[in-house]
Amino acid sequence: MGAKKFIHECKANTVAYREYFWVNFKTVLEYKMSSFIQISAMFLNDVVWISFWWIFFARFPLINGWTYRELLILWSIGALSFGLSGILFGNRSKLGEVIIRGRLDYFLALPKNVLLHALSSKITISAFGDALFGLALGLIIFTPTELPLYIYLAFLSAIILTSFGVIIGSLSFFFSTTEKVNKTIWNATVGLTLYPTNVYDGLAKFLLFVIIPVGFVSGVPTEILRVPSPEGIAVMTIVTIIIALIASLIFYAGIKKYESGNLIYVNA
Amino acid sequence: MNATKYYFIAKTNFKNSFAYVADAVFSDLFIALIIFIFSNIWGVIFRETGSALINGFSLPAMLWYMVVTEAILTSQGKIIVEIGDEVISGEIANQLNKPYNYLFYKYFSTIGSSLATFAISILIGGAVALVMVGPIEINPIFLPFILLSCLLGVTLHFALMSILGILALWVEEANPLDWLYQKLVLVIGGTLAPLDIFPAWLSFFCYILPFSAITYYPAKLFVQFSFEEFFRVTIIQIAWIIAAIITAQILFSILSKRVSINGG
């Protein structure tokens, strides 16, 4: 592909993504009360979580070098990145459902990037609650000079989380997984990111940071924010790019195996 | 009330729940993961404090306690969303002319699969706990009493969720109610950690709220059984179940009057 064509494709996909985002965002604004209830309930949901950890750390103030502050850093990154991925790529946890139900046909028939299109065709409304919670927590615990790094790491984490969603969803191309199985793997992945990551050693640590690098969603950013280092930021950036590329490769390899559901589907 | 029809509803549902054993087992991956995570967290805490007991719990007791709380909490599925969606969509109108009480039908049509899910969760969560921290000593004579307490916990869990499912008529959203309710049972119901480790002022409130009768009390009986405590817990659980059923029935009768059937 020539450079000119590549730039043209990037521009076209950006315009399409922007339009999609605004159409989806208008849905949030249209159902104001419903959106408000979902967003505020998710915000409260996160408040209950950190309240639990407040109780826990009040009883055990130091867990393997972590205090309550480290836990709050983990949650600020975890909630903001989860929220951002739900707002920007709302279909990231539903990709398996799209594939299983044969609804990928709709995206395949259009001339835009299939993966980007499928991911951004929906906004998860409750994700605004997570993003607002994460941001509010970030504004409380970080100094103004730490905020840019926090936002940058949260964006990288959101890309990693979305990539995990793509990989989990793409399993449906290769195996006869059910929506329940996909949902369980997704919940397990997200669940792992919201608990202290400093308590593992040996094989568990190797699994979480190398084999299935869930630790990079919130654990590694927490350590970087504790002790900022250019090396840490560089590693986090490179790992994000690698995971996103792997997710994209798996998705497009899966498309070759995709069998149309022959479904007549109205995408209203 | 003709109990036979409810027995057959529960029996049929129990059999159906074994049609998708692989799915059910895989769904319990999440419980296995939570037990794995907390075995690491508690492992570090016990190592760092250097004591064999924390608030009367040994490391194996702490993990096995959690196996039971998680198994109870996840046994029922999303009842709030199920009832709430039927209420919001008006689909519940189809249930009102049936020869059964809707809430009893719902309970008996889910209790079969709940018991199957509970058993699978205990097996899988227990397997992880066994590998991570070893076994726990239980006198088999106590098991029927512990299981009865778990069943009462599951029943109370259902009754509270059905109240919230009906309330969805006024809130117009079922999912947010489910998120918040589940978190309350997780935290102040003592699912994630026994209420014994909470500050005294907070644990006092948690003990008297109904959420502790769902998970905390049955799980604590599992690791520290006494007949005195069993009778006390049973009375608390039955009192909360009766209060919740009466509230649910009152709300349901208000709801039934507000249902308008448009045909179609």
Side-chain angles (χ1 to χ4, degrees), chain B residues 66-139:
Chain B
M66 208 174 168
V67 171
V68 177
T69 59
E70 286 287 343
I72 295 173
L73 183 68
T74 54
S75 63
Q76 282 275 355
K78 288 184 172 285
I79 300 294
I80 297 176
V81 179
E82 276 178 37
I83 296 179
D85 284 351
E86 285 183 10
V87 166
I88 294 165
S89 67
E91 208 179 298
I92 201 158
N94 296 324
Q95 305 280 347
L96 296 178
N97 60 352
K98 299 284 193 303
Y100 50 65
N101 176 303
Y102 172 75
L103 291 175
F104 280 108
Y105 165 76
K106 203 79 192 169
Y107 174 71
F108 284 101
S109 68
T110 55
I111 194 67
S113 59
S114 298
L115 295 178
T117 310
F118 176 81
I120 295 169
S121 303
I122 291 283
L123 284 175
I124 293 176
V128 178
L130 194 65
V131 170
M132 299 302 291
V133 293
I136 185 169
E137 215 171 281
I138 298 279
N139 187 338

Side-chain angles (χ1 to χ4, degrees), chain A residues 173-196:
Chain A
F173 284 127
F174 306 97
F175 310 103
S176 55
T177 58
T178 63
E179 287 166 28
K180 206 172 173 184
V181 168
N182 278 327
K183 197 175 170 189
T184 305
I185 304 177
W186 170 255
N187 285 342
T189 307
V190 174
L192 270 171
T193 65
L194 296 174
Y195 290 92

Side-chain angles (χ1 to χ4, degrees), chain A residues 158-230:
Chain A
I159 294 169
I160 296 177
L161 209 49
T162 307
S163 304
F164 280 132
V166 173
I167 294 169
I168 294 163
S170 299
L171 292 176
S172 302
F173 284 127
F174 306 97
F175 310 103
S176 55
T177 58
T178 63
E179 287 166 28
K180 206 172 173 184
V181 168
N182 278 327
K183 197 175 170 189
T184 305
I185 304 177
W186 170 255
N187 285 342
T189 307
V190 174
L192 270 171
T193 65
L194 296 174
Y195 290 92
T197 47
N198 66 326
V199 292
Y200 307 104
D201 50 23
L203 182 65
K205 199 169 189 175
F206 182 70
L207 276 171
L208 292 178
F209 289 89
V210 180
I211 304 295
I212 320 162
V214 181
F216 280 89
V217 176
S218 53
V220 172
T222 301
E223 293 303 331
I224 296 173
L225 283 160
R226 278 179 85 194
V227 189
S229 72

